[in-house]
Amino acid sequence: MPDTTRTRPAGTATAAPTATAAPAPFFAHRTQGPGPGLALFLNAGDPPLPVLRDLVLMLDEEGVDCLELAVPFPDSITDGPVIRRSAARALERGGADLDDVLAFIADVRPHLAHLRIALLADWSHSLKHRDLATATRDIAAAGADGLLLHALPPRLREAHLETAAAARLPVVTTCYTKSPPHTQAQAAAHASAYLYLVAHYGRSGTAPAAGHAALAHTVTGLRAHTTSPIAVGFGVSTRQDVEAVAAAGADAAIIGSAAVAAVERAQEAGLDVTEAFRTFVRSVLPAPHHPS
């Protein structure tokens, strides 16, 4: 894993001190025990950022490994209705653009002992009108542990990798199980945070017909091209799904639509979102993660 030491913004009450050691890599516990890692996806602003702050601190307490935190953007063609509704709610509320989300990360990141934050940003919605190098430095300085750029034009891929390396910001790369071998190899080779293996081609929230355990051959093939963790997403919604991902040899499972739906249900019912989401988290965490 690359050295990801970096500094955070100075001069504000919520800023962390200058980093003196590299943070733990994503899913680091995988080398310490048999349990798979767990990443959860949420849109920043759904729930509202003050509530989300409490929720993020709870995720750290519960031993969740990674939060994929998206800067919300409209009309994603890769997302199913649950995540699209979530993004719409966040955008309607306002206060969840890239600058807001970076300020949120800078505030909460110093308080996390275990949880890593991978920022997901859509190129057209959040970065197209910014200087890529400056934006990448800002993302790293805010305290994000990794960056996943959604819908990045292929012509900018090399520049993205170069600017992220210069900012010492690990990148999340993606590929599909049906991607051509050279595409899979390239994605694996460039992953410095983790490789996101999309379980099947389609929209989020849908599962592969053969089940996640059937991905073992693909995971094994990707291992030849990367030493970074491999995380599997799409259609992962239960503890059994997480265990099936682990059985395929992946380092971690990513839960998106089911996590967002848990937030949606809690808000619609007027429940304490953080405590309702804690119940969801405990229902999907593999046994080795669960607090004693």
Side-chain angles (χ1 to χ4, degrees):
M1 295 296 293
D3 177 3
T4 54
T5 305
R6 52 194 177 275
T7 59
R8 308 187 200 279
T12 63
T14 57
T18 300
T20 57
F26 285 87
F27 314 114
H29 80 282
R30 188 75 164 102
T31 62
Q32 302 166 4
L38 180 65
L40 300 175
F41 169 94
L42 290 174
N43 276 303
D46 186 49
L49 294 181
V51 178
L52 182 63
R53 187 181 191 279
D54 291 337
L55 190 153
V56 171
L57 295 175
M58 177 275 293
L59 296 181
D60 190 53
E61 293 171 1
E62 293 293 325
V64 173
D65 299 284
C66 172
L67 171 64
E68 283 192 353
L69 184 63
V71 181
F73 59 97
D75 306 320
S76 171
I77 60 173
T78 58
D79 287 324
V82 172
I83 292 179
R84 288 164 69 100
R85 288 197 303 269
S86 170
R89 286 192 297 272
L91 292 169
E92 287 167 3
R93 290 172 179 139
D97 64 13
L98 179 60
D99 292 330
D100 296 319
V101 177
L102 294 187
F104 174 85
I105 294 173
D107 172 54
V108 74
R109 187 66 191 83
H111 303 284
L112 304 178
H114 176 79
L115 184 74
R116 305 284 131 208
I117 297 177
L119 180 72
L120 188 156
D122 178 71
W123 165 253
S124 294
H125 186 75
S126 296
L127 292 173
K128 184 177 182 179
H129 304 295
R130 298 176 182 245
D131 176 75
L132 180 59
T134 301
T136 303
R137 287 195 298 270
D138 290 345
I139 292 166
D145 298 287
L147 174 63
L148 170 56
L149 287 188
H150 178 267
L152 179 72
R155 62 184 173 80
L156 296 176
R157 185 176 299 127
E158 184 174 348
H160 164 50
L161 294 172
E162 290 175 353
T163 56
R168 306 173 85 177
L169 178 64
V171 298
V172 181
T173 60
T174 63
C175 67
Y176 289 89
T177 56
K178 298 299 184 182
S179 296
H182 71 275
T183 300
Q184 291 187 354
Q186 185 178 59
H190 290 156
S192 50
Y194 56 92
L195 173 64
Y196 187 150
L197 174 61
V198 182
H200 74 116
Y201 188 80
R203 289 188 172 182
S204 58
T206 55
H212 294 92
L215 302 176
H217 178 74
T218 302
V219 172
T220 299
L222 291 168
R223 292 281 182 211
H225 304 286
T226 186
T227 58
S228 294
I230 298 172
V232 172
F234 274 49
V236 182
S237 61
T238 67
R239 180 178 293 164
Q240 289 72 31
D241 293 332
V242 173
E243 291 170 348
V245 166
D251 300 290
I254 303 170
I255 300 180
S257 293
V260 172
V263 169
E264 183 176 63
R265 289 192 302 270
Q267 292 181 120
E268 289 178 346
L271 301 175
D272 181 313
V273 176
T274 299
E275 290 309 309
F277 202 71
R278 189 192 302 271
T279 299
F280 168 76
V281 167
R282 290 184 173 183
S283 76
V284 297
L285 272 174
H289 285 71
H290 204 286
S292 57

